[in-house]
Amino acid sequence: QLCSLQLRNMKQASSSRLPHPDYVIWTVFFLISSILLYFSLYDKSTDTTYNIKRGAVAVVVIFVLIVIILLHTPRDGPFVRPHPIFWNFVLCTTVFYTLVMLFALFQSFDDIQRFLRYYDPKLGVPLPEKTYAEDCRIYTPDHPNGSFVNIMDKMDEFVPSHFFGWYFKAIIGRDWILLNISSLIFELVEYTLECQLPNFRECWWDHWILDFVLCNGLGIYCGLKTLELLSLEIFNWRELWNKPQFRFWCKS
């Protein structure tokens, strides 16, 4: 018994001097990800075979690191409905998507287009671009097609896509303030990408009245009202850290 007690004390003393496994895993993950990102962005090559080999090596390395992280934390996430198996499926699809994007990061633009044409031969054809900021007048009495032709011209397929997109985001997020902040950030991102995507150029009232207030805001409102009608819980993600269950889950 004395020997076993001394051996246990020696193991505890040696383990206390070692760094925590979480720090080691995430440090290695950060370093390897930084190295792979550097080679993918600054070591450009037009050799298809070389790019495929690099992409395959990167996928294997990141996959091994992800498996190590998942095996080190063999607990389910904080979501239990409708079933933990569903969220495990979401995790698997997310990992698969991440690995596909990582492999694509090491390929040239022409190779990516060539690979995607195997999936859909219609790809590679330039799509017609539409700008929404040619005439920002709201009221046009002298226009032959009507006094509000500029507003009616903006009523395309993006209007229902905005509404239903934020409707389902509200059902998932369930936080009024957080959803509106996300909607605001989305509109600001559109401003920053106007120089690259012509169809992001919109009039001020198209950004803030038609998109932010009407489409996004109405979708969020209807989504939260749907939760109330179904007697489902409204979340408060901003106060999540104050809940003891979440702190226990993060520290376990």
Side-chain angles (χ1 to χ4, degrees):
Q1 294 179 353
L2 181 61
C3 294
S4 61
L5 181 62
Q6 292 177 350
L7 182 61
R8 189 183 305 111
N9 293 334
M10 291 176 60
K11 289 182 178 180
Q12 292 178 354
S14 61
S15 61
S16 62
R17 290 193 295 267
L18 295 175
H20 196 274
D22 290 340
Y23 298 124
V24 176
I25 292 175
W26 288 109
T27 302
V28 174
F29 186 83
F30 175 77
L31 292 176
I32 295 180
S33 299
S34 301
I35 295 173
L36 294 177
L37 185 63
Y38 172 80
F39 280 105
S40 64
L41 295 179
Y42 296 100
D43 188 14
K44 295 294 183 180
S45 176
T46 57
D47 188 357
T48 304
T49 304
Y50 177 66
N51 291 334
I52 292 176
K53 290 180 179 179
R54 293 194 309 164
V57 171
V59 167
V60 171
V61 172
I62 295 299
F63 178 76
V64 170
L65 289 177
I66 292 176
V67 171
I68 292 174
I69 294 173
L70 294 178
L71 292 178
H72 179 67
T73 56
R75 60 178 183 271
D76 292 327
F79 303 107
V80 295
R81 293 182 179 179
H83 196 276
I85 294 179
F86 171 78
W87 295 109
N88 291 334
F89 172 76
V90 173
L91 176 62
C92 293
T93 54
T94 304
V95 171
F96 176 75
Y97 176 78
T98 303
L99 296 178
V100 171
M101 292 297 102
L102 178 64
F103 179 80
L105 192 62
F106 285 85
Q107 313 305 314
S108 63
F109 183 76
D110 295 334
D111 289 339
I112 290 295
Q113 284 190 331
R114 193 179 303 110
F115 293 153
L116 291 177
R117 288 196 190 101
Y118 287 109
Y119 173 74
D120 188 357
K122 298 179 181 179
L123 296 176
V125 179
L127 298 175
E129 294 286 351
K130 180 181 179 181
T131 58
Y132 296 86
E134 294 178 354
D135 189 358
C136 291
R137 294 179 298 169
I138 299 178
Y139 183 65
T140 55
D142 55 343
H143 200 281
N145 294 331
S147 300
F148 298 97
V149 64
N150 289 334
I151 297 178
M152 300 305 298
D153 185 59
K154 307 299 186 296
M155 301 297 175
D156 51 13
E157 66 274 7
F158 291 105
V159 173
S161 64
H162 273 265
F163 173 80
F164 287 107
W166 285 100
Y167 174 82
F168 289 108
K169 289 184 181 72
I171 293 178
I172 296 174
R174 305 187 187 185
D175 190 329
W176 172 266
I177 295 179
L178 187 63
L179 289 166
N180 280 278
I181 292 176
S182 301
S183 177
L184 174 65
I185 294 175
F186 185 85
E187 296 301 323
L188 295 177
V189 169
E190 283 191 348
Y191 270 116
T192 59
L193 295 177
E194 287 181 353
C195 57
Q196 298 182 5
L197 300 174
N199 59 348
F200 276 7
R201 296 183 185 135
E202 300 175 350
C203 301
W204 66 269
W205 50 267
D206 193 1
H207 271 294
W208 303 112
I209 298 179
L210 185 60
D211 288 349
F212 180 73
V213 177
L214 295 179
C215 296
N216 301 355
L218 189 61
I220 294 172
Y221 176 79
C222 293
L224 296 178
K225 283 299 179 181
T226 302
L227 295 175
E228 293 182 4
L229 292 175
L230 297 176
S231 300
L232 296 176
E233 182 183 1
I234 303 298
F235 296 156
N236 186 1
W237 293 102
R238 292 160 287 117
E239 299 294 333
L240 187 62
W241 182 250
N242 296 328
K243 295 185 177 182
Q245 298 90 345
F246 182 76
R247 288 188 176 184
F248 174 77
W249 181 83
C250 291
K251 294 179 181 179
S252 60

